[in-house]
Structures are given as C-alpha cells and as structure tokens.
C-alpha cells in the first residue's frame, strides 16, 4: 500500500483553485470537470468541495506539512499575498521550523523547513 491522495475539502472551489495554484504556486496535475483539482506535492493533493452534508470537513487543521527550502522567504511571500498565518515561523525543539496558515476555506496547513539532522 501507499498514500496516493491527500484530500482537502473546501467551500469555494474556484477560490481554492486560485489559492493553491496561483498563491501557493503548486503545479496543477489535473482538473476533473471543474469538480476537483489535483496538485503535485509529492503525493497528489486533491482539492474538492464538500457535499454540503458534512460541513465539519471544511475549516479544520488538516495535518499536512509542505516542505520548503527557505521558510522565512516563503512566509514573507505568502503573507504579502494576503495569506493568513496562525503561527509564524518558529524553530522547533527537533531542529526544524514550522509555520501554520489558512487556505481560503479556513483549512490550516503547515509549512516546514527541515533542520539539520
């Protein structure tokens, strides 16, 4: 077995597409009839709308970490693009640096810059 998709549910698919593709700069792998989009993050990050019957799927901490080479530069770029951060880049006891940010539906994702082993 292997992980094939990491799914994030959103309440505005068009806004999410712009955010993930244009603001974060992720490469869009596929578009399934404008109903779901896939982005390359090592595994496919799948962005899809909630069915409306399970609103608790939107606006939560999703536990996905996106690795970057320079977290300070990425933080500054995203913040200047209007991305809301809930946790500024902070060095962790294990040596890496983390920052948490919200997408257009309020889902919280993490940026991570790995520290020296």
């Amino acid at each position: 077995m292997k992980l094939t998709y990491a799914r994030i549910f959103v309440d505005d698919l068009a806004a999410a597409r712009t955010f993930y593709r244009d603001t974060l700069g992720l490469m869009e792998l596929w578009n399934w009839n404008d109903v779901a989009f896939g982005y390359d993050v090592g595994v496919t990050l799948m962005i899809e709308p909630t069915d409306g019957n399970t609103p608790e799927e939107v606006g939560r901490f999703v536990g996905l970490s996106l690795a970057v080479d320079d977290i300070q530069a990425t933080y500054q770029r995203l913040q200047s693009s209007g991305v809301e951060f809930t946790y500024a880049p902070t060095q962790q006891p294990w040596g890496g640096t983390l920052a948490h940010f919200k997408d257009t539906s309020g889902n919280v994702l993490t940026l991570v810059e790995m520290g020296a082993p």
Side-chain angles (χ1 to χ4, degrees):
M1 285 187 252
K2 66 178 183 173
L3 179 64
T4 57
Y5 291 100
R7 296 165 61 200
I8 298 177
F9 292 95
V10 298
D11 53 14
D12 183 337
L13 190 59
R17 182 182 195 196
T18 298
F19 179 80
Y20 284 91
R21 183 189 60 202
D22 302 336
T23 304
L24 294 185
L26 299 179
M27 183 176 72
E28 193 169 280
L29 296 174
W30 49 261
N31 169 353
W32 186 71
N33 296 325
D34 289 333
V35 174
F37 301 96
Y39 298 90
D40 183 9
V41 294
V43 298
T44 301
L45 178 63
M46 186 173 175
I47 307 300
E48 61 186 304
T50 182
D51 63 9
N53 296 320
T54 50
E56 67 277 1
E57 292 176 329
V58 175
R60 60 185 178 172
F61 182 80
V62 296
L64 294 177
S65 297
L66 302 173
V68 296
D69 292 329
D70 185 339
I71 198 166
Q72 292 297 333
T74 304
Y75 172 75
Q76 292 297 328
R77 180 179 64 80
L78 294 177
Q79 196 172 48
S80 69
S81 295
V83 174
E84 178 185 350
F85 279 81
T86 62
Y87 185 74
T90 304
Q91 184 154 14
Q92 303 300 300
W94 48 268
T97 303
L98 297 179
H100 302 300
F101 65 95
K102 291 184 178 183
D103 73 3
T104 54
S105 293
N107 295 301
V108 178
L109 293 96
T110 301
L111 292 179
V112 60
E113 180 181 318
M114 302 304 289

